[in-house]
mmCIF file of all heavy atoms in Angstrom:
data_model
loop_
_atom_site.group_PDB
_atom_site.id
_atom_site.type_symbol
_atom_site.label_atom_id
_atom_site.label_comp_id
_atom_site.label_asym_id
_atom_site.label_seq_id
_atom_site.Cartn_x
_atom_site.Cartn_y
_atom_site.Cartn_z
ATOM 1 N N ILE A 32 4.782 33.037 1.561
ATOM 2 C CA ILE A 32 3.657 33.426 2.418
ATOM 3 C C ILE A 32 2.367 33.241 1.632
ATOM 4 O O ILE A 32 2.263 33.641 0.478
ATOM 5 C CB ILE A 32 3.801 34.890 2.877
ATOM 6 C CG1 ILE A 32 4.957 35.016 3.877
ATOM 7 C CG2 ILE A 32 2.509 35.404 3.504
ATOM 8 C CD1 ILE A 32 5.242 36.430 4.294
ATOM 9 N N GLU A 33 1.393 32.628 2.265
ATOM 10 C CA GLU A 33 0.143 32.328 1.563
ATOM 11 C C GLU A 33 -0.816 33.517 1.559
ATOM 12 O O GLU A 33 -1.022 34.171 2.577
ATOM 13 C CB GLU A 33 -0.548 31.116 2.189
ATOM 14 C CG GLU A 33 0.164 29.807 1.869
ATOM 15 C CD GLU A 33 -0.713 28.583 2.053
ATOM 16 O OE1 GLU A 33 -1.881 28.741 2.468
ATOM 17 O OE2 GLU A 33 -0.221 27.475 1.764
ATOM 18 N N ILE A 34 -1.357 33.764 0.366
ATOM 19 C CA ILE A 34 -2.386 34.768 0.156
ATOM 20 C C ILE A 34 -3.593 34.038 -0.434
ATOM 21 O O ILE A 34 -3.501 33.465 -1.521
ATOM 22 C CB ILE A 34 -1.924 35.870 -0.822
ATOM 23 C CG1 ILE A 34 -0.595 36.505 -0.370
ATOM 24 C CG2 ILE A 34 -3.016 36.917 -1.004
ATOM 25 C CD1 ILE A 34 -0.680 37.322 0.890
ATOM 26 N N ALA A 35 -4.702 34.036 0.281
ATOM 27 C CA ALA A 35 -5.917 33.351 -0.189
ATOM 28 C C ALA A 35 -5.628 31.912 -0.594
ATOM 29 O O ALA A 35 -6.098 31.431 -1.629
ATOM 30 C CB ALA A 35 -6.536 34.122 -1.348
ATOM 31 N N GLY A 36 -4.821 31.228 0.222
ATOM 32 C CA GLY A 36 -4.596 29.806 0.015
ATOM 33 C C GLY A 36 -3.475 29.422 -0.922
ATOM 34 O O GLY A 36 -3.192 28.233 -1.093
ATOM 35 N N LYS A 37 -2.805 30.402 -1.523
ATOM 36 C CA LYS A 37 -1.669 30.116 -2.407
ATOM 37 C C LYS A 37 -0.493 31.010 -2.028
ATOM 38 O O LYS A 37 -0.682 32.183 -1.675
ATOM 39 C CB LYS A 37 -2.016 30.384 -3.872
ATOM 40 C CG LYS A 37 -3.016 29.432 -4.508
ATOM 41 C CD LYS A 37 -3.190 29.794 -5.981
ATOM 42 C CE LYS A 37 -4.106 28.814 -6.711
ATOM 43 N NZ LYS A 37 -5.510 28.921 -6.245
ATOM 44 N N PRO A 38 0.748 30.501 -2.124
ATOM 45 C CA PRO A 38 1.912 31.362 -1.884
ATOM 46 C C PRO A 38 1.980 32.504 -2.893
ATOM 47 O O PRO A 38 1.502 32.362 -4.041
ATOM 48 C CB PRO A 38 3.100 30.412 -2.067
ATOM 49 C CG PRO A 38 2.542 29.048 -1.878
ATOM 50 C CD PRO A 38 1.132 29.103 -2.388
ATOM 51 N N ILE A 39 2.569 33.613 -2.488
ATOM 52 C CA ILE A 39 2.787 34.730 -3.410
ATOM 53 C C ILE A 39 3.435 34.236 -4.694
ATOM 54 O O ILE A 39 3.040 34.620 -5.803
ATOM 55 C CB ILE A 39 3.681 35.806 -2.754
ATOM 56 C CG1 ILE A 39 2.983 36.426 -1.539
ATOM 57 C CG2 ILE A 39 4.064 36.886 -3.762
ATOM 58 C CD1 ILE A 39 3.894 37.309 -0.699
ATOM 59 N N TRP A 42 0.963 32.673 -7.138
ATOM 60 C CA TRP A 42 0.172 33.696 -7.824
ATOM 61 C C TRP A 42 0.984 34.351 -8.938
ATOM 62 O O TRP A 42 0.472 34.609 -10.037
ATOM 63 C CB TRP A 42 -0.305 34.751 -6.830
ATOM 64 C CG TRP A 42 -1.392 34.321 -5.906
ATOM 65 C CD1 TRP A 42 -1.328 34.188 -4.542
ATOM 66 C CD2 TRP A 42 -2.730 33.949 -6.259
ATOM 67 N NE1 TRP A 42 -2.525 33.768 -4.026
ATOM 68 C CE2 TRP A 42 -3.418 33.614 -5.061
ATOM 69 C CE3 TRP A 42 -3.419 33.878 -7.472
ATOM 70 C CZ2 TRP A 42 -4.751 33.219 -5.046
ATOM 71 C CZ3 TRP A 42 -4.755 33.483 -7.457
ATOM 72 C CH2 TRP A 42 -5.395 33.159 -6.268
ATOM 73 N N LEU A 115 2.014 41.455 -5.921
ATOM 74 C CA LEU A 115 0.908 40.804 -6.599
ATOM 75 C C LEU A 115 0.286 41.803 -7.565
ATOM 76 O O LEU A 115 -0.023 42.935 -7.176
ATOM 77 C CB LEU A 115 -0.147 40.350 -5.587
ATOM 78 C CG LEU A 115 0.282 39.255 -4.612
ATOM 79 C CD1 LEU A 115 -0.733 39.148 -3.478
ATOM 80 C CD2 LEU A 115 0.420 37.924 -5.324
ATOM 81 N N ILE A 215 3.497 43.128 -0.692
ATOM 82 C CA ILE A 215 3.221 42.474 0.590
ATOM 83 C C ILE A 215 4.364 42.779 1.552
ATOM 84 O O ILE A 215 5.426 42.158 1.503
ATOM 85 C CB ILE A 215 3.052 40.952 0.406
ATOM 86 C CG1 ILE A 215 1.990 40.660 -0.654
ATOM 87 C CG2 ILE A 215 2.689 40.298 1.734
ATOM 88 C CD1 ILE A 215 0.615 41.224 -0.344
ATOM 89 N N ASP A 220 -1.018 43.699 5.090
ATOM 90 C CA ASP A 220 -1.064 43.500 3.639
ATOM 91 C C ASP A 220 -1.514 42.090 3.292
ATOM 92 O O ASP A 220 -2.269 41.873 2.344
ATOM 93 C CB ASP A 220 0.318 43.756 3.017
ATOM 94 C CG ASP A 220 0.711 45.215 3.034
ATOM 95 O OD1 ASP A 220 -0.174 46.067 2.906
ATOM 96 O OD2 ASP A 220 1.917 45.492 3.179
ATOM 97 N N VAL A 221 -1.027 41.107 4.056
ATOM 98 C CA VAL A 221 -1.410 39.713 3.833
ATOM 99 C C VAL A 221 -2.915 39.553 3.998
ATOM 100 O O VAL A 221 -3.595 38.941 3.164
ATOM 101 C CB VAL A 221 -0.661 38.771 4.803
ATOM 102 C CG1 VAL A 221 -1.189 37.341 4.675
ATOM 103 C CG2 VAL A 221 0.835 38.805 4.526
ATOM 104 N N GLU A 222 -3.443 40.132 5.077
ATOM 105 C CA GLU A 222 -4.872 40.009 5.347
ATOM 106 C C GLU A 222 -5.706 40.702 4.274
ATOM 107 O O GLU A 222 -6.697 40.135 3.782
ATOM 108 C CB GLU A 222 -5.178 40.608 6.731
ATOM 109 C CG GLU A 222 -4.516 39.855 7.881
ATOM 110 C CD GLU A 222 -4.617 40.601 9.200
ATOM 111 O OE1 GLU A 222 -5.033 41.780 9.183
ATOM 112 O OE2 GLU A 222 -4.274 40.007 10.243
ATOM 113 N N ALA A 224 -4.800 41.581 1.132
ATOM 114 C CA ALA A 224 -4.631 40.942 -0.176
ATOM 115 C C ALA A 224 -5.406 39.637 -0.263
ATOM 116 O O ALA A 224 -5.936 39.291 -1.327
ATOM 117 C CB ALA A 224 -3.151 40.696 -0.450
ATOM 118 N N SER A 225 -5.500 38.908 0.840
ATOM 119 C CA SER A 225 -6.239 37.645 0.841
ATOM 120 C C SER A 225 -7.716 37.859 0.544
ATOM 121 O O SER A 225 -8.378 36.988 -0.028
ATOM 122 C CB SER A 225 -6.072 36.939 2.189
ATOM 123 O OG SER A 225 -4.729 36.519 2.364
ATOM 124 N N ASN A 226 -8.238 39.024 0.906
ATOM 125 C CA ASN A 226 -9.626 39.361 0.588
ATOM 126 C C ASN A 226 -9.774 39.881 -0.842
ATOM 127 O O ASN A 226 -10.816 39.679 -1.479
ATOM 128 C CB ASN A 226 -10.153 40.417 1.566
ATOM 129 C CG ASN A 226 -10.293 39.885 2.981
ATOM 130 O OD1 ASN A 226 -10.641 38.723 3.176
ATOM 131 N ND2 ASN A 226 -10.023 40.715 3.959
ATOM 132 N N ILE A 228 -7.549 39.302 -3.645
ATOM 133 C CA ILE A 228 -7.064 38.453 -4.731
ATOM 134 C C ILE A 228 -8.147 37.592 -5.385
ATOM 135 O O ILE A 228 -8.209 37.501 -6.615
ATOM 136 C CB ILE A 228 -5.880 37.582 -4.245
ATOM 137 C CG1 ILE A 228 -4.601 38.416 -4.219
ATOM 138 C CG2 ILE A 228 -5.672 36.366 -5.118
ATOM 139 C CD1 ILE A 228 -4.111 38.857 -5.581
#
Side-chain angles (χ1 to χ4, degrees):
I32 290 175
E33 287 200 358
I34 306 292
K37 291 183 176 68
I39 296 170
W42 287 115
L115 294 167
I215 306 301
D220 289 327
V221 173
E222 296 169 350
S225 293
N226 292 324
I228 281 293

